[in-house]
Structures are given as structure tokens and as C-alpha cells.
Amino acid sequence: MSKTRLLLAMTMISTTGFAQWINYPISGTPRTKEGKADLTAPPPKASDGKPDLSGLWTSRRPAGATRESQNDVGPDIRSYIEPPNEPPVLLPEAAALFQKRFDTLGAGRPSESCLPHSIPDMMLIGRPFKFVQNPNLTLILYEFATRYRQILTDGRPHPAAMEPAWFGYSIGKWDGNTFVIDTRGFNDKSWLDDVGHPHTDALHTIERFRRLDFGHMTMDVTIDDPKAYAKPWTATVHFALIPDSELIEDICENEKDSAHAVGR
């Protein structure tokens, strides 16, 4: 078992225990002479010649990001903003709401009541997620609270009418070797990160995924919400593959997210 996966499993032991298919050698994984997954091998290709993003992934904490800089409650999206990108500029009402949440250490965040983390927060919390890539549909399966997103890649546009949703409505396309996810139709109930960056129902996100090699992937996510921010802004998240492993069932019980319950 990798150190990363061991740490994740230990974090979840109080709610899920050790579970299925950990440390099982997955077919198609490139190997070193020692039999370990070769994470620097070239990225795999799908049947259409595009990079295959499939696999089990987890975010990597940005260099220099500490618990102190993240307010000791979880990810702060500002830690993922790399130059030349600029930090978000909040409009007055959104700034006041963020400050209230920040000052109370993220109290009342949706996940405390078993409600979803947002885009991009669901990618930041350090829990595994799985890409399942198919020609007309890509799925993102989140281990945390057993949630999912579907990204339609069959050429359809966004629906003409969208009932506001926690994860919005996502369509995807390829731009060279970059997988681009365009999501609209959000409700205004989720937070962009655990420290409380807000958004409204005008939120529009663009995620650009690039698989750099077999074991590493990046995502540039652009947040465009003219009701909450003065201008669009972009954060970059780096991901590491968790080889030879699978998702573990994780159920949110008693209106407490499991990471919070064990003292994240």
C-alpha cells in the first residue's frame, strides 16, 4: 500500500474501516523493474487517441501551504493560485460573507450537514476521486460521501432550462490534449472551499485537465461569478495518481462529514 493511500485509509478508519481492493495490481499499469507503478511513464491513450484521464486521483497540497495558512479548517482556494494568476477580488456583499465564515473557522459549512462540497472544493479536500472516461460520457466518482458528476461529451449544449444544482450541468470537449469541462446552472448553497469563499447562482466554471504523465495531472479552474467577484479568476490544482487501488464506500452519517468527525 502506498504511503498516500495508507494515510487516507487511516483517516477513514473510524467511519469506514479498511475495505475492498486496496493494493490490487491493476492491469495496464506500467511497471518499474521492481514491479511498482511507474508514475513517470507516458500518459495512456484512449481509443480515439486522446489522453485517457481514467484512474484514481487525489489532490496534492500546494508548496508552502500549511494548516495555518488554510485557517486550520481545510483547503483555502487562494493557496492554489499560481502566478501570473491573481487572487479573487470579492464584491462587497460577498466579501462580508466570506469574512464572517473565515472568522468563525468555517462553521456551518454544507458538509457539516452531509451536503455536498462544491466545484472546485470537492477536488481540494484530499479524498480520492475516480475518472471514468468514455467516448460520450465521462464520470467523476468521489469517494467522499459517495457522490458523482457526469460530464456529457456527445456534443450537446447546456440545457435551455436548468434547475439549480449542487454540481451544476457539465459538458466536456477536448482542446488538443486538454479536457475542458464547462459547468453552469449551480445553486448558491455550496462554498468554493472550506474556509468559506462564496458564490451565487451566476457561477460558471471552466476546468481544464491535463494528464502530464501516467501519475500526474493538473487542473486549471476558472471561476466566473459576476455577482460575487469583480472579475474571473483561476486556480491551479495538481493531482497524483493512487495506483493499484480503488474507491472505498464512504457514507455521511449523523449529519457530520467523516473527515470533520475524526478531527481533520
Side-chain angles (χ1 to χ4, degrees):
M1 184 186 301
S2 68
K3 291 182 179 179
T4 301
R5 191 58 171 160
L6 177 60
L7 178 60
L8 291 167
M10 291 177 65
T11 300
M12 295 180 285
I13 190 169
S14 67
T15 55
T16 61
F18 290 95
Q20 63 272 27
W21 299 307
I22 293 178
N23 202 30
Y24 181 84
I26 295 177
S27 174
T29 300
R31 303 283 172 184
T32 64
K33 294 180 179 180
E34 293 77 23
K36 298 180 180 180
D38 184 357
L39 301 181
T40 62
K45 299 288 187 180
S47 59
D48 59 3
K50 299 295 185 183
D52 189 350
L53 306 183
S54 298
L56 191 64
W57 301 91
T58 187
S59 62
R60 296 188 292 171
R61 184 182 295 273
T66 65
R67 285 292 184 184
E68 289 72 24
S69 68
Q70 293 179 324
N71 209 26
D72 202 33
V73 297
D76 183 330
I77 190 65
R78 293 171 297 185
S79 298
Y80 297 84
I81 297 175
E82 300 178 354
N85 295 319
E86 300 176 355
V89 179
L90 290 87
L91 297 177
E93 185 175 349
L97 178 57
F98 169 69
Q99 194 62 50
K100 178 181 178 180
R101 293 171 175 176
F102 190 86
D103 290 345
T104 56
L105 303 179
R109 61 185 180 182
S111 61
E112 289 182 357
S113 299
C114 287
L115 296 172
H117 289 268
S118 73
I119 301 171
D121 190 37
M122 199 67 166
M123 298 290 200
L124 308 181
I125 60 176
R127 301 290 290 274
F129 64 92
K130 187 174 186 178
F131 259 101
V132 182
Q133 185 173 320
N134 293 296
N136 293 320
L137 174 67
T138 292
L139 300 174
I140 303 179
L141 309 178
Y142 298 104
E143 183 169 277
F144 179 76
T146 315
R147 304 194 191 280
Y148 71 92
R149 288 173 62 193
Q150 57 176 357
I151 296 91
L152 285 301
T153 54
D154 56 0
R156 73 180 70 184
H158 285 100
M162 293 179 283
E163 183 71 21
W166 286 90
F167 290 123
Y169 298 78
S170 298
I171 60 173
K173 65 179 182 180
W174 286 94
D175 179 9
N177 289 329
T178 299
F179 186 54
V180 182
I181 304 177
D182 185 326
T183 307
R184 306 168 186 261
F186 292 94
N187 64 33
D188 61 357
K189 299 177 181 179
S190 63
W191 297 11
L192 294 180
D193 56 16
D194 272 359
V195 299
H197 279 96
H199 71 83
T200 72
D201 58 3
L203 177 64
H204 171 209
T205 65
I206 299 286
E207 301 157 279
R208 301 177 63 87
F209 289 89
R210 298 181 300 279
R211 189 165 187 171
L212 308 178
D213 54 24
F214 189 79
H216 303 90
M217 182 169 64
T218 65
M219 174 191 70
D220 293 321
V221 55
T222 298
I223 306 296
D224 184 7
D225 185 345
K227 293 182 180 180
Y229 298 91
K231 58 183 179 179
W233 49 279
T234 299
T236 299
V237 186
H238 298 271
F239 303 105
L241 185 76
I242 305 176
D244 298 332
S245 191
E246 287 291 354
L247 296 176
I248 295 172
E249 182 180 85
D250 180 81
I251 304 300
C252 188
E253 299 180 83
N254 300 321
E255 295 189 352
K256 291 182 179 180
D257 66 79
S258 57
H260 182 73
V262 299
R264 184 160 87 196

